[in-house]
Amino acid sequence: GAVVSQHPSRVICKSGTSVKIECRSLDFQATTMFWYRQFPKQSLMLMATSNEGSKATYEQGVEKDKFLINHASLTLSTLTVTSAHPEDSSFYICSAPGPTSGELFFGEGSRLTVL
Amino acid sequence: DAKTTQPTSMDCAEGRAANLPCNHSTISGNEYVYWYRQIHSQGPQYIIHGLKNNETNEMASLIITEDRKSSTLILPHATLRDTAVYYCIVRVSGGNQGGKLIFGQGTELSVKP
């Protein structure tokens, strides 16, 4: 199946710094990508829909100035957690619709720890 | 909000069939039933999806009731590596323009020796 890759898989940063997470579709193009966040022992929560060439669409309660999303090409979306705080520590996962059959393919996830 | 209801947890003996139920009584005519699973600390893995007919692939079978208000995912011969959280999700399909996936709490399946 199609492959979605995230980088970095793990990141530790100090409080107040910004962290960028990349999501790439490796062998297909994706005009839309989705970003999720998952806290321990909880389900995935959709944060935003990333749209190539236009602004991202954020879910209710997600701060767009806190979580900056850029989808500058058909194979790359980035999520930047700005001025990160310990409560932003979480597992961030991206996904993209496959090229033919419609199922979403997920990246491996990026675990952010803010000290 | 998620539009599906699943049991919180289930156990299954290794080598036996695992049958995971899902209720989706408010499913719309253009919504598909998708199943994903998530092994600890990994991204979700696609298993199978269907609209109204039963589906089978190398991983599992999906049985959808005639009124489409519920479905069952069947893992025919569960192994220890099938231990994971299984999510049943309804979603409008449509290739690259397909709708977003909204996850519920899922079923935590434990396959025991």
Side-chain angles (χ1 to χ4, degrees), chain B residues 30-104:
Chain B
N30 63 345
E31 287 181 316
Y32 289 67
V33 180
Y34 281 78
W35 282 85
Y36 284 78
R37 72 180 182 184
Q38 186 181 27
I39 296 170
H40 183 61
S41 294
Q42 297 182 23
Q45 177 190 23
Y46 166 81
I47 301 173
I48 199 167
H49 75 286
L51 183 61
K52 55 182 180 181
N53 296 324
N54 297 337
E55 301 288 342
T56 296
N57 62 21
E58 64 278 6
M59 291 183 68
S61 294
L62 174 60
I63 308 298
I64 302 174
T65 57
E66 193 169 342
D67 62 7
R68 302 210 321 125
K69 293 185 177 182
S70 65
S71 61
T72 301
L73 178 74
I74 301 172
L75 307 179
H77 306 285
T79 70
L80 299 179
R81 286 182 292 182
D82 292 322
T83 292
V85 179
Y86 287 77
Y87 295 99
C88 167
I89 305 164
V90 295
R91 168 183 177 249
V92 175
S93 186
N96 211 17
Q97 299 304 315
K100 52 194 176 185
L101 282 176
I102 303 298
F103 286 79

Side-chain angles (χ1 to χ4, degrees), chain A residues 29-83:
Chain A
Q29 295 180 336
T31 57
T32 301
M33 291 184 178
F34 302 98
W35 285 96
Y36 293 82
R37 178 170 56 180
Q38 185 176 33
F39 292 109
K41 298 190 181 300
Q42 294 187 21
S43 185
L44 285 80
M45 186 194 79
L46 180 66
M47 299 175 67
T49 301
S50 173
N51 303 300
E52 188 269 334
S54 64
K55 292 182 179 180
T57 304
Y58 290 82
E59 297 297 305
Q60 190 173 8
V62 178
E63 302 174 58
K64 61 181 181 181
D65 295 329
K66 172 77 171 176
F67 300 99
L68 301 179
I69 291 174
N70 184 279
H71 195 150
S73 77
L74 288 171
T75 58
L76 174 65
S77 175
T78 60
L79 168 67
T80 301
V81 182
T82 63
S83 186

